[in-house]
Amino acid sequence: MSYEQFVEQMEAKLRSSLDGGRSLGVRQVTKNNGKKRKGIVFSEPGINVSPTIYLEEYYERYKRGYSFEQLADQIMCLYSHVRMGHSWEGEFVTKYANVRAKLIYQLINREKNRDLLAQVPYIPYLDLAIVFYVLVDMKEDDRIATMLVRNEHLGWWKVTREEIYEEACANTRRLLPEEFTTLYALLAGVEGEDISPDLDETKGYSMYILTNCIRNFGAAAVLYRDVLKNIGEYLKEDFYVLPSSIHEMIIVPDSSAPSWRETAMIVKEINETQVREEEVLSDIPYHYKRKEGRLRLPVWEMDRAES
């Protein structure tokens, strides 16, 4: 069965099980890096917002032997967890006072999102772009609902890009504080640890993860004030910052890293083989020098990033 046939049959299967005036439809959404995905959107009486549940993962499960009934049950179960329980008033988003404390930022690749960036306010950062969202909802299981800030919103709110950036700088760390831990601890499911001398150096870990408390769009934690400075003080040396995905950065001390070009080859290979296309952040590793106090690109990328 082709993917298109799967989508069509799953839509019919789910629609036949709906009750209470609910309905659904399939829509195609352009995700990060221009990746197009198809998903199911449910509609409920009295609720004007709904998440999109994407179907590619379920198609892969179908090819591994899951039945349509099993997959339909999984989709409905997921929807019951992520659905909004109330409407979001249409006028709510038009007033800056309502969204100001909910503005956050995320990092995306600048080159791969040129079409998107023509429609939204953003701040250039290295080869990346800082874009802005309204954090609509955050559930107990760390799922979040966000609304992308577009150029027309600035007109509604009568604010500038610089003003929403200032608000997002204050809000993002407050709402989504950083998590810094060893790669080993993350893979083992251990809770994150503070950046402090108490972290056991005798374990000999040479790779660390910087993300946020929900490990979702956590690469933006590199923007938090003094986070990289504190990491440098803890490591007591300069370090590389590898853009593992839009969700996290990998930190590698200089003493444990290969050359900059070799590191770049490793990042590129990981992005091509291990990371979903829409979750790729960059193929370029960055470097933090404690004396300079800033993250920088390799020399061969600096001119292109500034263009």
Side-chain angles (χ1 to χ4, degrees):
M1 179 185 296
S2 70
Y3 177 62
E4 294 299 326
Q5 291 172 324
F6 173 83
V7 171
E8 183 179 340
Q9 292 190 29
M10 182 56 71
E11 179 185 10
K13 174 69 175 176
L14 293 171
R15 182 174 285 116
S16 69
S17 65
L18 292 179
D19 55 19
R22 290 183 296 176
S23 61
L24 62 81
V26 173
R27 72 173 179 179
Q28 181 169 277
V29 178
T30 301
K31 300 288 286 181
N32 185 47
N33 296 334
K35 175 69 174 179
K36 297 186 184 299
R37 300 183 64 188
K38 283 192 173 181
I40 296 286
V41 182
F42 292 86
S43 298
E44 296 188 39
I47 305 294
N48 64 359
V49 287
S50 178
T52 301
I53 298 177
Y54 298 102
L55 296 175
E56 287 85 354
E57 178 182 346
Y58 295 98
Y59 180 56
E60 292 302 317
R61 294 180 187 178
Y62 172 75
K63 292 194 294 183
R64 295 200 302 269
Y66 284 76
S67 69
F68 256 79
E69 289 72 20
Q70 288 175 309
L71 296 174
D73 287 345
Q74 290 174 10
I75 291 172
M76 293 303 297
C77 181
L78 176 60
Y79 179 68
S80 70
H81 282 88
V82 301
R83 63 179 289 274
M84 295 288 287
H86 56 84
S87 274
W88 193 16
E89 297 299 330
E91 293 185 1
F92 183 89
V93 72
T94 65
K95 298 178 180 178
Y96 188 55
N98 294 336
V99 301
R100 183 174 182 175
K102 299 177 181 291
L103 286 169
I104 61 173
Y105 53 51
Q106 296 176 5
L107 278 175
I108 62 174
N109 185 280
R110 199 170 352 146
E111 179 62 32
K112 293 181 179 181
N113 290 283
R114 284 193 177 274
D115 290 344
L116 172 66
L117 294 177
Q119 306 169 46
V120 304
Y122 73 95
I123 304 287
Y125 179 75
L126 302 171
D127 63 319
L128 309 174
I130 304 170
V131 293
F132 306 96
Y133 288 80
V134 176
L135 183 58
V136 178
D137 191 29
M138 186 162 63
K139 297 182 177 293
E140 292 181 359
D141 61 358
D142 290 338
R143 295 181 185 274
I144 60 174
T146 58
M147 182 197 76
L148 178 64
V149 176
R150 297 183 175 273
N151 291 331
E152 57 265 29
H153 293 132
L154 299 189
W156 297 350
W157 300 336
K158 294 181 173 54
V159 295
T160 65
R161 178 190 66 171
E162 289 69 26
E163 286 175 309
I164 64 170
Y165 174 63
E166 183 177 346
E167 291 294 336
C169 285
N171 296 336
T172 310
R173 191 175 199 175
R174 173 177 57 82
L175 297 170
L176 302 170
E178 70 272 15
E179 176 181 282
F180 179 69
T181 187
T182 63
L183 179 59
Y184 173 84
L186 184 70
L187 295 176
V190 179
E191 292 297 322
E193 304 180 60
D194 294 333
I195 304 169
S196 73
D198 295 331
L199 194 61
D200 187 359
E201 297 182 37
T202 65
K203 296 177 182 178
Y205 298 134
S206 59
M207 298 181 71
Y208 303 82
I209 297 292
L210 176 63
T211 182
N212 60 26
C213 62
I214 63 171
R215 300 175 184 174
N216 196 348
F217 297 101
V222 297
L223 303 172
Y224 296 175
R225 182 180 178 88
D226 290 336
V227 160
L228 296 180
K229 176 185 175 183
N230 293 340
I231 291 175
E233 290 177 353
Y234 165 69
L235 296 176
K236 298 181 175 61
E237 59 179 303
D238 299 341
F239 55 90
Y240 286 93
V241 177
L242 312 187
S244 174
S245 76
I246 57 175
H247 302 302
E248 70 279 312
M249 296 285 199
I250 295 177
I251 307 297
V252 184
D254 275 9
S255 59
S256 301
S259 71
W260 208 331
R261 290 187 181 276
E262 288 176 307
T263 304
M265 292 174 61
I266 293 171
V267 173
K268 191 175 190 323
E269 181 179 356
I270 291 174
N271 282 339
E272 291 175 349
T273 61
Q274 306 296 323
V275 183
R276 289 182 178 180
E277 185 178 346
E278 67 267 29
E279 295 183 346
V280 170
L281 182 57
S282 176
D283 291 335
I284 302 169
Y286 314 116
H287 191 254
Y288 183 84
K289 295 186 76 70
R290 290 182 296 162
K291 287 185 178 180
E292 296 180 7
R294 66 183 179 92
L295 205 58
R296 63 189 182 100
L297 288 161
V299 174
W300 68 85
E301 289 288 346
M302 287 182 179
D303 291 340
R304 187 171 71 174
E306 292 171 358
S307 65

